[in-house]
Structure formats: structure tokens, C-alpha cells
Coordinates of all heavy atoms in Angstrom, one line a residue:
M1256 N -5.3 6.6 -11.0 CA -6.5 7.0 -10.2 C -7.6 7.5 -11.1 O -7.4 8.3 -12.0 CB -6.0 8.0 -9.2 CG -7.1 8.2 -8.1 SD -6.3 8.8 -6.6 CE -6.0 10.5 -7.1
S1257 N -8.8 7.0 -10.9 CA -9.9 7.5 -11.7 C -10.3 8.9 -11.2 O -9.9 9.4 -10.2 CB -11.1 6.5 -11.5 OG -11.5 6.5 -10.1
N1258 N -11.2 9.5 -12.0 CA -11.6 10.8 -11.7 C -12.9 10.8 -11.0 O -14.0 10.5 -11.6 CB -11.7 11.6 -13.0 CG -10.9 12.9 -13.0 OD1 -10.4 13.3 -11.9 ND2 -10.7 13.5 -14.1
P1259 N -12.9 11.1 -9.7 CA -14.2 11.0 -9.0 C -15.2 12.1 -9.4 O -14.8 13.2 -9.9 CB -13.8 11.2 -7.5 CG -12.3 11.4 -7.5 CD -11.8 11.6 -8.9
D1260 N -16.4 11.9 -9.2 CA -17.5 12.8 -9.5 C -17.7 13.7 -8.3 O -18.1 13.3 -7.2 CB -18.8 12.1 -9.8 CG -19.9 13.0 -10.1 OD1 -19.7 14.2 -10.0 OD2 -21.0 12.5 -10.4
P1261 N -17.3 15.0 -8.4 CA -17.3 15.9 -7.2 C -18.7 16.0 -6.6 O -18.8 16.2 -5.4 CB -16.9 17.3 -7.8 CG -16.3 16.9 -9.1 CD -16.9 15.7 -9.6
S1262 N -19.8 15.9 -7.4 CA -21.1 16.0 -6.8 C -21.4 14.9 -5.9 O -22.3 15.0 -5.0 CB -22.1 16.2 -7.9 OG -22.2 15.0 -8.7
K1263 N -20.8 13.8 -6.0 CA -21.1 12.6 -5.2 C -20.1 12.5 -4.0 O -20.2 11.6 -3.2 CB -21.0 11.3 -6.0 CG -22.1 11.2 -6.9 CD -22.1 9.9 -7.6 CE -23.1 9.8 -8.8 NZ -22.6 9.2 -9.9
M1264 N -19.2 13.5 -3.9 CA -18.2 13.4 -2.9 C -18.6 14.1 -1.6 O -19.4 15.1 -1.7 CB -16.8 13.9 -3.4 CG -16.2 13.1 -4.5 SD -14.9 13.9 -5.3 CE -13.6 13.5 -4.2
K1265 N -18.0 13.7 -0.5 CA -18.3 14.4 0.8 C -17.5 15.7 0.7 O -16.4 15.8 0.2 CB -17.7 13.6 1.9 CG -18.5 12.5 2.4 CD -17.9 11.8 3.6 CE -16.7 11.0 3.3 NZ -16.1 10.3 4.4
Q1266 N -18.2 16.8 1.1 CA -17.6 18.1 1.1 C -16.8 18.4 2.4 O -16.1 19.4 2.5 CB -18.7 19.2 0.9 CG -19.4 19.1 -0.4 CD -18.5 19.1 -1.6 OE1 -17.6 20.0 -1.7 NE2 -18.6 18.2 -2.5
D1267 N -17.0 17.5 3.3 CA -16.3 17.7 4.6 C -15.8 16.4 5.1 O -16.4 15.3 5.0 CB -17.3 18.3 5.6 CG -16.6 18.9 6.7 OD1 -15.5 19.5 6.5 OD2 -17.1 18.9 7.8
C1268 N -14.6 16.4 5.6 CA -14.0 15.1 6.1 C -14.0 15.1 7.6 O -13.5 16.0 8.3 CB -12.6 15.0 5.6 SG -11.8 13.5 6.1
P1269 N -14.7 14.0 8.2 CA -14.7 13.9 9.6 C -13.4 13.6 10.3 O -13.2 13.8 11.5 CB -15.7 12.8 9.9 CG -15.7 12.0 8.6 CD -15.4 13.0 7.5
E1270 N -12.5 13.1 9.5 CA -11.2 12.7 10.0 C -10.0 13.4 9.3 O -9.1 12.8 8.9 CB -11.0 11.2 10.0 CG -12.2 10.4 9.8 CD -12.0 9.0 9.3 OE1 -11.3 8.3 10.0 OE2 -12.4 8.7 8.2
K1271 N -10.2 14.7 9.1 CA -9.3 15.4 8.2 C -7.8 15.3 8.7 O -6.9 15.2 7.9 CB -9.7 16.9 8.2 CG -9.4 17.6 6.9 CD -10.1 18.9 6.9 CE -9.8 19.6 5.6 NZ -10.5 20.9 5.5
N1272 N -7.7 15.4 10.0 CA -6.3 15.4 10.6 C -5.7 14.0 10.4 O -4.5 13.9 10.0 CB -6.3 15.8 12.1 CG -6.5 17.3 12.2 OD1 -6.3 18.1 11.3 ND2 -7.0 17.7 13.4
E1273 N -6.4 13.0 10.6 CA -5.9 11.7 10.4 C -5.6 11.5 9.0 O -4.6 10.8 8.6 CB -7.0 10.6 10.8 CG -7.2 10.5 12.3 CD -5.9 10.2 13.0 OE1 -5.2 9.2 12.6 OE2 -5.5 10.9 14.0
C1274 N -6.4 12.0 8.1 CA -6.2 11.8 6.7 C -5.0 12.5 6.2 O -4.2 12.0 5.4 CB -7.4 12.4 5.9 SG -8.9 11.4 6.0
L1275 N -4.8 13.7 6.8 CA -3.6 14.5 6.4 C -2.3 13.8 6.8 O -1.3 13.7 6.1 CB -3.7 15.8 7.2 CG -3.2 17.0 6.4 CD1 -3.9 17.2 5.1 CD2 -3.5 18.3 7.2
K1276 N -2.4 13.1 8.0 CA -1.2 12.3 8.4 C -0.9 11.2 7.5 O 0.2 10.9 7.1 CB -1.5 11.8 9.9 CG -0.9 12.7 10.9 CD -1.1 12.0 12.3 CE -1.8 13.0 13.2 NZ -2.4 12.2 14.4
M1277 N -2.0 10.5 7.1 CA -1.9 9.3 6.2 C -1.3 9.8 4.9 O -0.5 9.1 4.3 CB -3.3 8.7 6.1 CG -3.3 7.4 5.2 SD -2.1 6.2 5.7 CE -2.7 5.7 7.3
L1278 N -1.8 10.9 4.4 CA -1.4 11.4 3.2 C 0.1 11.7 3.1 O 0.8 11.4 2.2 CB -2.2 12.7 3.0 CG -2.4 13.5 1.7 CD1 -3.7 14.2 1.8 CD2 -1.3 14.4 1.5
Q1279 N 0.6 12.3 4.2 CA 2.0 12.6 4.3 C 2.8 11.3 4.4 O 3.9 11.2 3.7 CB 2.3 13.3 5.6 CG 1.6 14.6 5.8 CD 2.1 15.8 5.0 OE1 3.2 15.6 4.4 NE2 1.4 16.9 5.0
L1280 N 2.3 10.3 5.1 CA 3.0 9.0 5.1 C 3.1 8.4 3.8 O 4.2 7.9 3.4 CB 2.2 8.0 6.0 CG 2.3 8.1 7.5 CD1 1.5 7.0 8.2 CD2 3.8 8.0 7.9
I1281 N 2.0 8.4 3.0 CA 2.0 7.9 1.7 C 3.0 8.6 0.8 O 3.8 8.0 0.1 CB 0.6 7.9 1.1 CG1 -0.3 6.9 1.8 CG2 0.6 7.6 -0.4 CD1 -1.8 7.1 1.5
L1282 N 3.0 9.9 0.8 CA 3.9 10.7 0.0 C 5.3 10.5 0.4 O 6.2 10.7 -0.4 CB 3.4 12.1 0.0 CG 2.1 12.4 -0.8 CD1 1.7 13.8 -0.6 CD2 2.3 12.0 -2.2
D1283 N 5.5 10.3 1.7 CA 6.9 10.1 2.1 C 7.4 8.6 1.9 O 8.5 8.3 2.2 CB 7.0 10.4 3.6 CG 6.9 11.9 3.9 OD1 7.2 12.6 3.0 OD2 6.6 12.2 5.0
G1284 N 6.4 7.8 1.4 CA 6.8 6.4 1.1 C 6.9 5.6 2.4 O 7.5 4.5 2.4
E1285 N 6.2 6.0 3.4 CA 6.3 5.3 4.7 C 5.0 4.5 5.0 O 4.9 3.8 6.0 CB 6.5 6.3 5.8 CG 8.0 6.7 5.9 CD 8.2 7.9 6.7 OE1 7.4 8.2 7.6 OE2 9.2 8.6 6.5
A1286 N 4.0 4.6 4.1 CA 2.8 3.8 4.4 C 2.9 2.5 3.7 O 3.6 2.4 2.7 CB 1.6 4.6 3.8
N1287 N 2.3 1.4 4.3 CA 2.4 0.1 3.7 C 1.3 0.1 2.6 O 0.4 0.9 2.5 CB 2.2 -1.0 4.7 CG 0.9 -1.0 5.4 OD1 -0.1 -0.7 4.8 ND2 0.9 -1.3 6.7
S1288 N 1.4 -0.9 1.8 CA 0.5 -1.0 0.6 C -1.0 -1.1 0.9 O -1.8 -0.5 0.2 CB 0.9 -2.1 -0.3 OG 1.0 -3.3 0.4
E1289 N -1.2 -1.7 2.1 CA -2.6 -1.8 2.5 C -3.2 -0.4 2.8 O -4.3 0.0 2.5 CB -2.7 -2.7 3.7 CG -4.1 -3.2 4.0 CD -4.2 -4.0 5.3 OE1 -3.2 -4.7 5.5 OE2 -5.2 -3.8 6.0
Q1290 N -2.4 0.4 3.6 CA -2.8 1.7 4.0 C -3.0 2.6 2.7 O -4.0 3.4 2.6 CB -1.7 2.4 4.9 CG -1.6 1.7 6.2 CD -0.5 2.3 7.0 OE1 0.6 2.4 6.5 NE2 -0.8 2.8 8.2
K1291 N -2.0 2.5 1.8 CA -2.1 3.2 0.6 C -3.3 3.0 -0.2 O -4.0 3.8 -0.6 CB -0.9 2.8 -0.3 CG 0.2 3.8 -0.5 CD 1.1 3.3 -1.6 CE 2.4 4.0 -1.6 NZ 3.4 3.4 -2.5
E1292 N -3.6 1.7 -0.4 CA -4.7 1.3 -1.2 C -6.0 1.7 -0.5 O -6.9 2.3 -1.2 CB -4.7 -0.3 -1.3 CG -5.9 -0.8 -2.1 CD -5.4 -1.9 -3.0 OE1 -4.2 -1.9 -3.4 OE2 -6.2 -2.7 -3.3
N1293 N -6.1 1.5 0.8 CA -7.3 2.0 1.5 C -7.6 3.5 1.3 O -8.7 3.9 1.0 CB -7.1 1.7 3.0 CG -8.1 0.7 3.5 OD1 -9.2 0.7 3.0 ND2 -7.6 -0.1 4.4
F1294 N -6.5 4.2 1.5 CA -6.7 5.7 1.4 C -6.9 6.2 0.0 O -7.8 6.9 -0.2 CB -5.4 6.3 2.1 CG -5.6 7.8 2.2 CD1 -6.4 8.3 3.3 CD2 -5.0 8.7 1.4 CE1 -6.6 9.6 3.5 CE2 -5.1 10.1 1.6 CZ -5.9 10.5 2.6
L1295 N -6.0 5.8 -0.9 CA -6.1 6.3 -2.2 C -7.3 5.8 -3.0 O -8.0 6.5 -3.7 CB -4.9 5.9 -3.0 CG -3.6 6.6 -2.5 CD1 -2.4 6.2 -3.4 CD2 -3.7 8.1 -2.5
K1296 N -7.7 4.5 -2.8 CA -8.7 4.0 -3.6 C -10.1 4.1 -2.9 O -11.1 4.2 -3.6 CB -8.5 2.5 -3.9 CG -7.4 2.3 -4.9 CD -7.4 0.9 -5.5 CE -6.2 0.8 -6.4 NZ -5.8 -0.6 -6.6
N1297 N -10.1 4.1 -1.6 CA -11.4 4.2 -1.0 C -11.8 5.6 -0.5 O -12.8 6.1 -0.8 CB -11.5 3.2 0.2 CG -11.4 1.8 -0.3 OD1 -11.7 1.5 -1.4 ND2 -10.8 1.0 0.6
H1298 N -10.8 6.1 0.2 CA -11.2 7.4 0.9 C -11.1 8.6 -0.1 O -12.1 9.4 -0.2 CB -10.2 7.7 2.0 CG -10.6 8.8 2.9 ND1 -11.7 8.7 3.8 CD2 -10.2 10.1 2.9 CE1 -11.9 9.9 4.3 NE2 -11.0 10.7 3.8
L1299 N -10.1 8.7 -0.9 CA -10.0 9.9 -1.8 C -11.1 10.0 -2.8 O -11.5 11.1 -3.2 CB -8.6 9.8 -2.5 CG -7.4 10.3 -1.7 CD1 -6.3 10.6 -2.7 CD2 -7.7 11.5 -0.9
E1300 N -11.6 8.8 -3.2 CA -12.6 8.8 -4.2 C -13.9 9.5 -3.7 O -14.7 9.9 -4.5 CB -13.0 7.4 -4.5 CG -11.8 6.6 -5.1 CD -11.8 6.7 -6.7 OE1 -12.8 6.3 -7.3 OE2 -10.8 7.2 -7.2
E1301 N -14.1 9.5 -2.4 CA -15.4 10.1 -1.9 C -15.2 11.3 -1.0 O -16.2 11.8 -0.5 CB -16.2 9.0 -1.2 CG -15.4 8.3 -0.1 CD -16.2 7.3 0.6 OE1 -16.9 6.6 -0.1 OE2 -16.2 7.3 1.9
C1302 N -14.0 11.7 -0.8 CA -13.7 12.7 0.2 C -13.1 13.9 -0.5 O -11.9 13.9 -0.8 CB -12.9 12.2 1.3 SG -12.7 13.3 2.7
M1303 N -13.9 14.9 -0.7 CA -13.4 16.1 -1.5 C -12.2 16.8 -0.8 O -11.2 17.1 -1.5 CB -14.6 17.1 -1.6 CG -14.4 18.1 -2.7 SD -14.0 17.3 -4.3 CE -14.2 18.7 -5.3
P1304 N -12.3 17.2 0.5 CA -11.2 17.9 1.1 C -9.9 17.1 1.0 O -8.8 17.7 0.7 CB -11.6 18.2 2.5 CG -12.9 17.5 2.7 CD -13.4 17.1 1.4
C1305 N -10.0 15.8 1.2 CA -8.8 15.0 1.2 C -8.2 14.8 -0.3 O -7.0 14.8 -0.5 CB -9.0 13.6 1.8 SG -9.3 13.8 3.6
Y1306 N -9.1 14.7 -1.2 CA -8.8 14.6 -2.6 C -8.0 15.9 -3.0 O -6.9 15.8 -3.6 CB -10.1 14.5 -3.4 CG -9.8 14.4 -4.9 CD1 -9.4 13.2 -5.5 CD2 -10.1 15.5 -5.7 CE1 -9.2 13.2 -6.9 CE2 -9.9 15.5 -7.1 CZ -9.5 14.3 -7.7 OH -9.3 14.2 -9.0
K1307 N -8.5 17.0 -2.6 CA -7.8 18.3 -2.9 C -6.5 18.4 -2.2 O -5.5 18.7 -2.8 CB -8.7 19.5 -2.4 CG -9.8 19.8 -3.4 CD -10.4 21.1 -3.1 CE -11.5 21.4 -4.1 NZ -12.4 22.5 -3.6
N1308 N -6.5 18.0 -0.9 CA -5.2 18.0 -0.1 C -4.2 17.1 -0.8 O -3.0 17.5 -0.8 CB -5.5 17.6 1.3 CG -5.9 18.7 2.2 OD1 -5.6 19.9 1.9 ND2 -6.6 18.4 3.2
Y1309 N -4.6 16.0 -1.2 CA -3.6 15.1 -1.8 C -3.0 15.7 -3.0 O -1.8 15.7 -3.2 CB -4.4 13.8 -2.2 CG -3.5 12.8 -2.9 CD1 -2.5 12.0 -2.1 CD2 -3.5 12.6 -4.2 CE1 -1.7 11.1 -2.7 CE2 -2.7 11.6 -4.8 CZ -1.8 10.9 -4.1 OH -0.9 10.0 -4.7
H1310 N -3.8 16.2 -3.9 CA -3.2 16.8 -5.1 C -2.4 18.1 -4.8 O -1.4 18.3 -5.5 CB -4.3 17.1 -6.1 CG -4.9 15.9 -6.7 ND1 -4.2 15.3 -7.8 CD2 -5.9 15.1 -6.4 CE1 -4.9 14.2 -8.1 NE2 -5.9 14.0 -7.3
L1311 N -2.8 18.7 -3.8 CA -2.0 19.9 -3.4 C -0.6 19.5 -2.9 O 0.4 20.0 -3.3 CB -2.8 20.6 -2.2 CG -2.2 21.8 -1.6 CD1 -2.1 22.9 -2.6 CD2 -3.0 22.3 -0.4
E1312 N -0.6 18.5 -2.0 CA 0.7 18.0 -1.5 C 1.6 17.4 -2.7 O 2.8 17.7 -2.7 CB 0.5 16.9 -0.5 CG 0.0 17.4 0.8 CD 1.0 18.2 1.6 OE1 2.2 17.9 1.4 OE2 0.6 19.2 2.3
V1313 N 1.0 16.7 -3.6 CA 1.7 16.1 -4.7 C 2.3 17.3 -5.5 O 3.5 17.3 -5.9 CB 0.8 15.3 -5.6 CG1 1.5 14.9 -6.9 CG2 0.4 14.0 -4.8
A1314 N 1.5 18.3 -5.8 CA 2.0 19.4 -6.6 C 3.1 20.1 -5.9 O 4.1 20.5 -6.5 CB 0.8 20.4 -6.9
I1315 N 3.0 20.3 -4.6 CA 4.0 21.1 -3.9 C 5.3 20.3 -3.9 O 6.4 20.8 -4.1 CB 3.5 21.3 -2.4 CG1 2.4 22.4 -2.4 CG2 4.7 21.8 -1.6 CD1 1.7 22.5 -1.1
R1316 N 5.2 19.0 -3.6 CA 6.4 18.2 -3.6 C 7.1 18.1 -5.0 O 8.3 18.2 -5.0 CB 6.1 16.7 -3.2 CG 6.1 16.6 -1.7 CD 5.2 15.4 -1.2 NE 4.8 15.6 0.1 CZ 5.3 15.0 1.2 NH1 6.3 14.2 1.0 NH2 4.9 15.3 2.4
Q1317 N 6.3 18.1 -6.0 CA 6.9 18.1 -7.3 C 7.6 19.4 -7.6 O 8.7 19.4 -8.1 CB 5.9 17.8 -8.4 CG 5.7 16.3 -8.6 CD 4.4 16.0 -9.4 OE1 3.7 16.9 -9.8 NE2 4.2 14.7 -9.7
L1318 N 6.9 20.5 -7.3 CA 7.5 21.8 -7.5 C 8.8 22.0 -6.7 O 9.8 22.4 -7.3 CB 6.5 22.9 -7.1 CG 5.6 23.4 -8.2 CD1 4.6 24.3 -7.6 CD2 6.5 24.1 -9.3
L1319 N 8.8 21.6 -5.5 CA 10.0 21.7 -4.7 C 11.1 20.9 -5.2 O 12.3 21.3 -5.1 CB 9.7 21.3 -3.2 CG 8.8 22.3 -2.5 CD1 8.5 21.8 -1.0 CD2 9.3 23.7 -2.5
K1320 N 10.8 19.7 -5.7 CA 11.8 18.8 -6.2 C 12.5 19.4 -7.5 O 13.7 19.4 -7.7 CB 11.2 17.5 -6.6 CG 11.9 16.3 -6.0 CD 11.4 15.0 -6.6 CE 10.3 14.4 -5.8 NZ 9.6 13.3 -6.4
T1321 N 11.6 20.0 -8.3 CA 12.2 20.5 -9.6 C 12.8 21.9 -9.4 O 13.8 22.3 -10.1 CB 11.1 20.6 -10.7 OG1 10.0 21.3 -10.2 CG2 10.7 19.2 -11.1
K1322 N 12.2 22.7 -8.5 CA 12.6 24.1 -8.5 C 13.8 24.4 -7.5 O 14.6 25.3 -7.7 CB 11.5 25.0 -8.1 CG 10.5 25.2 -9.3 CD 9.8 26.5 -9.2 CE 9.1 26.7 -10.5 NZ 8.0 27.7 -10.4
C1323 N 13.8 23.7 -6.5 CA 14.9 24.0 -5.5 C 15.2 22.9 -4.6 O 14.7 21.8 -4.7 CB 14.5 25.3 -4.7 SG 12.9 25.1 -4.0
C1324 N 15.9 23.2 -3.6 CA 16.4 22.2 -2.6 C 15.3 21.9 -1.6 O 14.2 22.4 -1.7 CB 17.6 22.8 -1.9 SG 17.2 24.4 -1.1
K1325 N 15.6 21.0 -0.7 CA 14.6 20.5 0.3 C 14.2 21.6 1.2 O 13.1 21.7 1.6 CB 15.2 19.4 1.1 CG 15.0 18.0 0.5 CD 15.4 17.0 1.5 CE 16.4 16.0 1.0 NZ 17.2 15.4 2.0
D1326 N 15.2 22.5 1.6 CA 14.9 23.5 2.6 C 14.3 24.8 1.9 O 14.9 25.8 2.0 CB 16.2 23.8 3.3 CG 16.9 22.6 3.8 OD1 16.2 21.8 4.6 OD2 18.0 22.4 3.4
A1327 N 13.2 24.6 1.3 CA 12.6 25.8 0.7 C 12.0 26.7 1.8 O 11.6 26.2 2.8 CB 11.5 25.3 -0.2
P1328 N 12.2 28.0 1.5 CA 11.6 28.9 2.5 C 10.1 28.8 2.6 O 9.5 28.5 1.6 CB 12.0 30.3 2.0 CG 12.4 30.1 0.6 CD 12.8 28.6 0.4
Q1329 N 9.6 29.0 3.8 CA 8.2 28.8 4.1 C 7.3 29.7 3.2 O 6.3 29.3 2.7 CB 7.9 29.1 5.5 CG 6.5 28.7 6.0 CD 6.1 27.3 5.7 OE1 6.9 26.4 6.0 NE2 4.9 27.0 5.2
E1330 N 7.8 30.9 2.9 CA 7.1 31.8 2.0 C 6.9 31.2 0.6 O 5.8 31.3 0.0 CB 7.8 33.2 1.8 CG 8.2 33.9 3.0 CD 9.6 33.6 3.4 OE1 10.5 34.2 2.8 OE2 9.8 32.7 4.2
L1331 N 7.9 30.5 0.2 CA 7.8 29.9 -1.2 C 6.7 28.8 -1.1 O 5.9 28.7 -2.0 CB 9.1 29.3 -1.6 CG 9.1 28.6 -3.0 CD1 8.8 29.6 -4.1 CD2 10.4 27.9 -3.2
V1332 N 6.8 28.0 -0.1 CA 5.8 26.9 0.0 C 4.4 27.4 0.1 O 3.5 27.0 -0.6 CB 6.1 26.0 1.3 CG1 5.1 24.9 1.5 CG2 7.5 25.4 1.2
D1333 N 4.2 28.5 0.9 CA 2.9 29.1 1.0 C 2.4 29.7 -0.3 O 1.3 29.6 -0.7 CB 2.9 30.3 2.0 CG 3.1 29.7 3.5 OD1 2.8 28.5 3.6 OD2 3.4 30.5 4.4
D1334 N 3.4 30.3 -1.0 CA 3.1 30.8 -2.3 C 2.6 29.8 -3.3 O 1.6 29.9 -4.0 CB 4.4 31.5 -2.9 CG 4.1 32.3 -4.1 OD1 3.1 33.1 -4.1 OD2 4.8 32.1 -5.1
I1335 N 3.3 28.6 -3.3 CA 2.9 27.5 -4.2 C 1.6 27.0 -3.8 O 0.7 26.8 -4.6 CB 4.0 26.4 -4.1 CG1 5.3 26.9 -4.6 CG2 3.5 25.2 -4.8 CD1 6.5 25.9 -4.4
K1336 N 1.3 26.9 -2.5 CA 0.1 26.4 -2.0 C -1.1 27.2 -2.5 O -2.1 26.8 -3.0 CB 0.0 26.3 -0.4 CG 0.5 25.1 0.1 CD 0.2 25.0 1.6 CE 0.9 23.8 2.2 NZ 0.8 23.7 3.6
T1337 N -0.9 28.5 -2.3 CA -2.0 29.5 -2.8 C -2.3 29.3 -4.2 O -3.4 29.2 -4.7 CB -1.5 30.9 -2.5 OG1 -0.9 31.0 -1.3 CG2 -2.6 31.9 -2.7
K1338 N -1.2 29.1 -5.0 CA -1.4 29.0 -6.5 C -2.1 27.7 -6.8 O -3.0 27.6 -7.7 CB -0.1 29.0 -7.2 CG 0.4 30.5 -7.3 CD 1.7 30.6 -8.1 CE 2.2 32.0 -8.1 NZ 3.7 32.0 -7.9
V1339 N -1.7 26.6 -6.1 CA -2.3 25.3 -6.4 C -3.7 25.3 -6.0 O -4.6 24.7 -6.7 CB -1.5 24.2 -5.7 CG1 -2.2 22.8 -5.9 CG2 -0.1 24.1 -6.2
I1340 N -4.0 25.9 -4.9 CA -5.4 25.9 -4.4 C -6.3 26.7 -5.4 O -7.4 26.2 -5.7 CB -5.5 26.6 -3.0 CG1 -4.9 25.6 -1.9 CG2 -7.0 26.9 -2.6 CD1 -4.8 26.3 -0.6
K1341 N -5.8 27.7 -5.9 CA -6.5 28.5 -7.0 C -6.8 27.6 -8.2 O -7.8 27.6 -8.7 CB -5.6 29.7 -7.4 CG -6.2 31.0 -6.8 CD -5.5 32.2 -7.5 CE -5.3 33.3 -6.5 NZ -4.2 34.2 -6.9
N1342 N -5.8 26.9 -8.6 CA -5.9 26.0 -9.7 C -7.0 24.9 -9.5 O -7.8 24.6 -10.3 CB -4.6 25.2 -10.0 CG -3.7 26.1 -10.8 OD1 -4.1 27.1 -11.4 ND2 -2.4 25.7 -10.9
L1343 N -7.0 24.4 -8.3 CA -7.9 23.3 -7.9 C -9.4 23.9 -7.9 O -10.3 23.2 -8.2 CB -7.6 22.7 -6.6 CG -6.5 21.7 -6.6 CD1 -6.1 21.3 -5.2 CD2 -6.8 20.5 -7.4
A1344 N -9.5 25.1 -7.5 CA -10.8 25.7 -7.3 C -11.4 26.1 -8.7 O -12.6 26.2 -8.8 CB -10.7 27.0 -6.4
S1345 N -10.6 26.3 -9.6 CA -11.1 26.8 -10.9 C -11.6 25.6 -11.8 O -11.3 24.5 -11.5 CB -10.0 27.5 -11.7 OG -8.9 26.7 -12.0
Ligands
ZN837 ZN1 -10.8 12.5 4.4

């Protein structure tokens, strides 16, 4: 994935909830290749909140995979989210 220019990206997503659902589908491996391509190549490149959400979800999934089992306590997930958001903001 290329590195989008943040100044040219939308700061607000009009379909955030839809995007979030699509993002989960993709990360769960349930989206078809057309959906994937559309979302990753077209939408993420220009949509700041979804771009951040995507990387957040990826980071969380990776952490959960390496650090512990699937049933991670919610506090841990929240903790990871907070840290990742901080990283993205800096
Ligand atoms: Zn979006």
C-alpha cells in the first residue's frame, strides 16, 4: 500500500460505519477481492479516519495474535487501542 498524503485526505468519513464493517470483513478474510481492492486501494487512500481505523485494527489483531489468546480481556484491547491511537497521532 502506498503512503497517502494526509493533507489531501478527507478528514471525515460520510460512511464510517459501513467502512468499519468492510474493514472487519477484509481483516477476517471474508471480503471478496473486488471489495478488498475497492476499499484498500480507493477508499483508504483518501479517507483519513478509515485509514487510521484500518491500521488500528491491523495493529490490534497482530498484537492479540502474538501476545495472547483470542479471548483477550476487553481492558487489554482498550489499552492497546489507546496506545495505537497515540502512535498514529504522533
Ligand atoms: Zn471511510
Side-chain angles (χ1 to χ4, degrees):
M1256 195 155 70
S1257 60
N1258 236 345
D1260 179 356
S1262 63
K1263 290 186 188 138
M1264 292 168 85
K1265 283 186 284 184
Q1266 297 301 311
D1267 199 30
C1268 182
E1270 342 159 64
K1271 214 169 180 176
N1272 286 338
E1273 286 305 307
C1274 289
L1275 218 53
K1276 265 187 234 161
M1277 181 54 67
L1278 197 152
Q1279 305 279 356
L1280 280 183
I1281 290 170
L1282 290 174
D1283 288 339
E1285 282 163 23
N1287 63 37
S1288 51
E1289 199 187 319
Q1290 290 175 309
K1291 249 191 198 171
E1292 183 138 329
N1293 246 324
F1294 189 75
L1295 294 180
K1296 287 196 182 156
N1297 300 330
H1298 191 75
L1299 279 197
E1300 297 268 304
E1301 57 177 41
C1302 186
M1303 196 55 166
C1305 294
Y1306 180 77
K1307 281 190 180 169
N1308 273 335
Y1309 178 76
H1310 286 278
L1311 180 62
E1312 286 293 327
V1313 170
I1315 289 167
R1316 275 158 204 258
Q1317 273 168 358
L1318 267 174
L1319 290 181
K1320 231 192 262 170
T1321 51
K1322 286 208 169 160
C1323 52
C1324 54
K1325 271 192 238 155
D1326 311 300
Q1329 190 57 42
E1330 307 95 81
L1331 180 66
V1332 177
D1333 289 343
D1334 188 49
I1335 293 170
K1336 271 192 190 175
T1337 314
K1338 283 184 186 139
V1339 175
I1340 288 171
K1341 256 191 211 155
N1342 277 344
L1343 282 173
S1345 62

